Amino acid sequence: MATPYDFPSDLLAGQEELHQVRAELSALLRRLPWSVVPLDGFSDDNGWRKVERPASPGWTEDEQAEVEKLRRREHELAVFVSGHRFWSELAGPERVDARTKLKHAHEASAAEEN
């Protein structure tokens, strides 16, 4: 039987926003060019596998600013969640278990709603 934890609402909200920011950042990075600055494309088949990249136009200033904004927010949220006062109430393996449960709390609440 899994141990239920009574997570504070601000900790749950912080973790949920952290998931959202990470998903948004990941989606943004997937659609941006592979290089921040403009670079020519290349093909290299001298390694253990062939690597090819098309020419990259680089990122616009707005794209760079958006990535930076999301990375800063991700860092703020990670610090908030990992340094929350709730963790001082738990010790050792129980803290690890609770942290794992918190990371998946949004999945559990979504399953309960369905």
Side-chain angles (χ1 to χ4, degrees), residues 26-46:
S26 180
L28 176 60
L29 291 172
R30 272 195 303 276
R31 75 174 179 267
L32 288 175
W34 63 271
S35 176
V36 177
V37 296
L39 287 175
D40 294 333
F42 67 89
S43 178
D44 181 6
D45 57 2
N46 292 326

Side-chain angles (χ1 to χ4, degrees), residues 2-77:
T3 305
Y5 296 99
D6 190 18
F7 295 114
S9 60
D10 64 332
L11 180 57
L12 285 166
Q15 181 66 53
E16 179 61 28
E17 187 179 351
L18 181 57
H19 283 303
Q20 292 169 357
V21 167
R22 284 181 172 160
E24 190 177 337
L25 179 59
S26 180
L28 176 60
L29 291 172
R30 272 195 303 276
R31 75 174 179 267
L32 288 175
W34 63 271
S35 176
V36 177
V37 296
L39 287 175
D40 294 333
F42 67 89
S43 178
D44 181 6
D45 57 2
N46 292 326
W48 62 277
R49 67 183 174 110
K50 186 173 184 174
V51 177
E52 292 183 307
R53 296 267 193 232
S56 173
W59 298 357
T60 65
E61 287 185 16
D62 288 342
E63 291 167 337
Q64 290 179 41
E66 182 66 16
V67 168
E68 180 62 25
K69 181 182 103 179
L70 289 170
R71 285 183 173 156
R72 282 187 183 171
R73 186 62 183 150
E74 178 187 28
H75 181 261
E76 290 168 1
L77 289 165

